[in-house]
Amino acid sequence: MPELQDQPALTIQGLRHRYAPNQPPSLIVPELVLNTSEQMVLTGSSGSGKSTLLHLIAGLMDPSEGTIRVAGTCPQSLRGQARDKFRGRTIGMVFQTHHLLMGFSALENVMAALMFSDIPRGSHRARAKSLLDTLGIATPDQRVERLSVGQQQRVAIARALACDPVLVLADEPTASLDPENAQAALDLLQQACRSSGSALLCVTHDTRLINRFDRNQHLPAPHEQLQETGGGA
Amino acid sequence: MSMSDWNIVTRSMRHRFFSSTITVLSVAVACGLVTLLISMRNAGENSFKRGTGNVQMLISKEPGPLPSVLNSMFYAQAPGNPITWAQFQQLKSSYPFAWAIPTQLGDSYQDAPVMGTDLSFFTSFQPAAGLSWSLQSGTYFEEPFQLVLGSDAAARLGLSLGDSISLEHGAPRTQGGHTHDEFEFSVVGILEPTGTAHDRAMFTSLESSWILHAHDRREAIFGHGIVTIADDLIEEDKKITAVYASLGDRKAALVQVLSALRRDPDWTVANPADTVGGLFSIVSNIDQVLLAMAIAVMLSSGVSILLALYNSMEQRRRQIAVLRVLGASRARVFGLVLTESAIIGLLGGVLGLGIALIGGMLVSTALAQRVGIVVEPALPIDGYLMIVLATVALSCLAGVIPALAAYRTSVVRSLRPVG
């Protein structure tokens, strides 16, 4: 897919989102471009719409205004199954709470990310195993509920990277970890993205993470932005 | 092995082992009950007809064909109105019977009815179509006061060859019976099981039965302590209660003889197979009620699948949301939940058949031992297949609402961090 390589991993223009038509916007992003393999952190207090932004990028919601393109494709232009498939193939997500599938092994959790893609089934196991190995999970057949919190987050990272996504979205990936584990997890996430060539967009309220990223940007809460520009909705 | 929808479904079921098991069991019980009822219904009529064997006509002086068959072939109660020996002889000479077997009921030992008859009972009469009598051990009776036991009677009462017992006058469970201690009967033969009511009975010669009755008559005249022997019998003592008869292969003659006997007010004639068939058409109302109950049980277990899956949806919203994030479409998660309900239906259905087969065996054993009726609660193989398919279909139907809930799950809302 040479065209995909040429496109930025993420482009956002004139994005505004409201939960209901008559309400003030809950999220405003005038412009944002993230190039291939670039790593960026967006900081913002709670209420700035950080999680909403990630859900919009992932095509789990439709924005009220503006356009989002992931590797040149607007997820909102895709319908139903096509959009789900696009998300599975192009975007990896890491959450604050890992959201692993309970009752399944680490290996199965990673393979679950592959099962909805067009990657040949025969390669799933080896691929998942080597990813977990890279991330330091020595017991891939262990059920995830038996792993430590730090290990669980590593499995979640492996799962996000399973399909070699163009873009990895991380929503407060370190918030549920102690400082030591947080460091380690972030190191692994950034390293893994680099080696797979995936762009990384991380949203967090923790400003201490800023220095670790190529770029950082503050995402002000919408009411602050509206006061600055003096613009209304 | 890579992950598949099947893995996801079976793993989630195992993860919620307790609730999955309970749901499967409730489906299994319902399905088992329905299967048992349907197969019993099927088997009941067949097995009842079985006991009538090759008897074309049962002739008696009972009030009607139904009591006549129930009393003289299924040993329900002692027949009421006796036939004199002379009347029997006259009947026999009036029609072209291939065979006509005199039978006399009225005595018993413990719960087992004792039938007085002659040896043609064992040679001409077949207790079930194509089945001839044979002995487990011993011989048929040759002299008075010898008993041949049906297989169940022997087993239940713990009697074996050479044992001596005293009979009671009066059929089992009737009032005013008394024991004839003066006469000792000895067991000379034990019959092979036939799977009919006859297995519960004991058989002796007509003469032995008559002597018991003659003794009662003579005691009333001469007082206690007298001895009665075959020579003391008078015509009045020689009574029977029914005649098992057949014209053999002459089917055309059968219609004529039946209609002639039906016109004769002195006789009650029954075609045993028809009479039993008639009995079942009366009973079929009850069994529709049972069937309706079974269907109600089935429906309620459908509701329990619905509830079990729906409740599990609350716990599973997160799982479903995660799968959606990983690229699963709405249709696919709908399919996952529907597959789970189909699996519950399939497991429940198959387990239910197991329950029905075991239950059927228990019931048929109990029936065979207590009532002497052989019920084989079996359906044709496609009947079982239909039941399992219907169970799966019903389960899928019950799964639609929870599956829709999965379909509509909001990913964004379900992924909010806890706390």
Side-chain angles (χ1 to χ4, degrees):
Chain A
M1 294 183 283
E3 315 90 71
L4 279 184
Q5 297 294 320
D6 303 336
Q7 301 274 1
L10 174 68
T11 341
I12 295 175
Q13 270 178 330
L15 184 70
R16 274 171 186 241
H17 188 68
R18 292 179 184 81
Y19 279 109
N22 299 325
Q23 278 178 5
S26 56
L27 170 74
I28 301 176
V29 180
E31 187 168 24
L32 194 149
V33 177
L34 191 64
N35 286 314
T36 316
S37 309
E38 208 178 357
Q39 302 196 342
M40 180 181 187
V41 63
L42 268 180
T43 53
S45 52
S46 57
S48 58
K50 302 186 301 283
S51 299
T52 307
L53 176 62
L54 298 192
H55 292 147
L56 288 167
I57 296 170
L60 295 166
M61 294 159 77
D62 292 352
S64 315
E65 281 172 49
T67 55
I68 298 167
R69 284 180 190 282
V70 177
T73 303
C74 172
Q76 279 73 24
S77 70
L78 301 170
R79 289 283 136 235
Q81 212 174 334
R83 194 195 286 196
D84 294 319
K85 193 160 184 180
F86 176 78
R87 172 173 55 249
R89 192 67 179 85
T90 324
I91 299 172
M93 290 183 94
V94 179
F95 305 93
Q96 172 183 345
T97 39
H98 50 74
H99 289 321
L100 295 175
L101 301 173
M102 291 299 156
F104 292 81
S105 70
L107 192 64
E108 288 166 332
N109 265 276
V110 179
M111 289 196 296
L114 291 159
M115 69 179 276
F116 303 108
S117 72
D118 44 16
I119 296 167
R121 302 190 73 85
S123 67
H124 288 188
R125 196 179 187 87
R127 199 185 168 101
K129 221 167 187 155
S130 84
L131 249 175
L132 285 168
D133 194 44
T134 315
L135 287 162
I137 300 294
T139 53
D141 293 318
Q142 185 93 294
R143 293 233 193 140
V144 286
E145 54 266 40
R146 304 225 177 100
L147 299 175
S148 70
V149 184
Q151 284 177 314
Q152 288 178 343
Q153 193 60 312
R154 290 178 199 196
V155 176
I157 292 169
R159 190 177 64 183
L161 287 158
C163 292
D164 276 338
V166 174
L167 176 63
V168 173
L169 304 173
D171 189 354
E172 303 276 12
T174 57
S176 57
L177 302 175
D178 57 71
E180 210 169 300
N181 268 312
Q183 284 289 342
L186 212 53
D187 282 343
L188 285 169
L189 178 61
Q190 290 189 294
Q191 241 165 49
C193 286
R194 240 170 255 135
S195 59
S196 72
S198 311
L200 171 62
L201 179 65
C202 179
V203 298
T204 180
H205 69 278
D206 187 353
T207 49
R208 286 172 302 176
L209 302 183
I210 289 173
N211 297 329
R212 306 178 57 106
F213 285 83
D214 309 337
R215 285 171 58 197
N216 70 75
Q217 195 171 316
H218 178 66
L219 181 67
H223 58 92
E224 300 167 28
Q225 291 187 56
L226 292 174
Q227 278 163 8
E228 274 170 34
T229 56
Chain B
M1 200 182 66
S2 58
M3 285 284 279
S4 61
D5 292 25
W6 177 258
N7 284 133
I8 302 243
V9 171
T10 51
R11 269 313 169 74
S12 328
M13 282 180 75
R14 239 182 288 167
H15 192 56
R16 288 174 288 106
F17 185 79
F18 184 73
S19 113
S20 309
T21 308
I22 296 295
T23 316
V24 166
L25 284 181
S26 89
V27 175
V29 168
C31 171
L33 207 60
V34 172
T35 311
L36 193 58
L37 283 170
I38 294 176
S39 55
M40 283 301 213
R41 194 172 75 124
N42 238 27
E45 188 165 349
N46 289 343
S47 73
F48 242 98
K49 278 185 177 160
R50 186 183 161 89
T52 61
N54 63 344
V55 175
Q56 291 172 342
M57 285 172 280
L58 183 72
I59 305 161
S60 70
K61 287 187 180 290
E62 293 265 60
L66 186 57
S68 168
V69 171
L70 289 180
N71 292 343
S72 294
M73 304 198 90
F74 294 95
Y75 306 92
Q77 289 181 319
N81 306 318
I83 303 163
T84 65
W85 191 246
Q87 285 168 329
F88 169 62
Q89 292 301 336
Q90 202 215 331
L91 176 76
K92 216 169 144 182
S93 59
S94 311
Y95 298 98
F97 295 119
W99 44 264
I101 307 163
T103 66
Q104 195 272 338
L105 284 167
D107 300 318
S108 60
Y109 175 69
Q110 297 195 2
D111 262 353
V114 176
M115 177 180 268
T117 184
D118 63 26
L119 287 174
S120 64
F121 186 89
F122 299 109
T123 53
S124 300
F125 169 57
Q126 295 182 336
L131 179 77
S132 297
W133 289 105
S134 57
L135 286 161
Q136 268 179 52
S137 57
T139 58
Y140 293 109
F141 51 78
E142 282 154 11
E143 295 169 21
F145 307 113
Q146 290 184 335
L147 276 175
V148 174
L149 309 187
S151 57
D152 271 354
R156 200 167 52 83
L157 300 170
L159 294 172
S160 48
L161 290 187
D163 286 349
S164 288
I165 55 173
S166 298
L167 302 190
E168 294 134 38
H169 182 61
R173 294 179 295 275
T174 50
Q175 297 227 320
H178 55 271
T179 307
H180 281 279
D181 293 325
E182 324 76 84
F183 299 101
E184 292 239 307
F185 282 73
S186 63
V187 177
V188 297
I190 294 170
L191 294 160
E192 289 282 2
T194 64
T196 65
H198 304 296
D199 291 349
R200 283 190 302 133
M202 302 181 167
F203 305 90
T204 188
S205 63
L206 281 169
E207 213 174 20
S208 335
S209 298
W210 291 341
I211 290 171
L212 289 190
H213 297 185
H215 185 73
D216 282 346
R217 171 181 60 78
R218 282 161 46 83
E219 256 189 352
I221 303 167
F222 305 111
H224 266 302
I226 54 139
V227 176
T228 306
I229 56 165
D231 287 343
D232 295 323
L233 293 177
I234 58 170
E235 208 49 36
E236 192 191 321
D237 299 320
K238 298 181 180 175
K239 285 173 182 161
I240 60 171
T241 52
V243 181
Y244 287 19
S246 169
L247 299 174
D249 297 330
R250 287 161 293 171
K251 299 278 180 217
L254 179 60
V255 181
Q256 289 176 12
V257 174
L258 275 173
S259 68
L261 277 167
R262 276 181 186 136
R263 266 182 273 117
D264 190 336
D266 285 344
W267 298 107
T268 295
V269 61
N271 179 311
D274 285 353
T275 308
V276 171
L279 176 66
F280 265 82
S281 67
I282 300 168
V283 178
S284 72
N285 272 335
I286 298 168
D287 103 357
Q288 274 164 10
V289 172
L290 287 178
L291 204 63
M293 273 167 56
I295 288 166
V297 171
M298 205 70 211
L299 286 180
S300 84
S301 95
V303 172
S304 86
I305 299 179
L306 193 159
L307 285 178
L309 284 176
Y310 199 85
N311 290 339
S312 81
M313 290 309 303
E314 285 310 314
Q315 308 160 22
R316 293 170 73 191
R317 282 192 196 282
R318 212 164 267 266
Q319 185 197 27
I320 283 163
V322 170
L323 291 173
R324 294 290 313 285
V325 166
L326 296 180
S329 63
R330 285 176 187 279
R332 200 135 169 198
V333 295
F334 180 85
L336 288 176
V337 176
L338 217 55
T339 307
E340 183 171 335
S341 42
I343 293 174
I344 290 175
L346 189 66
L347 289 178
V350 171
L351 203 63
L353 288 193
I355 292 176
L357 290 178
I358 293 168
M361 255 151 51
L362 294 179
V363 172
S364 67
T365 312
L367 278 180
Q369 283 175 354
R370 301 257 173 88
V371 200
I373 296 171
V374 168
V375 177
E376 279 154 8
L379 291 178
I381 193 81
D382 48 339
Y384 287 123
L385 211 63
M386 280 299 295
I387 288 172
V388 174
L389 282 181
T391 312
V392 172
L394 190 73
S395 304
C396 286
L397 202 67
V400 165
I401 291 175
L404 274 178
Y407 184 90
R408 294 217 185 104
T409 293
S410 154
V411 179
V412 171
R413 216 169 299 157
S414 308
L415 286 184
R416 285 204 183 123
V418 242

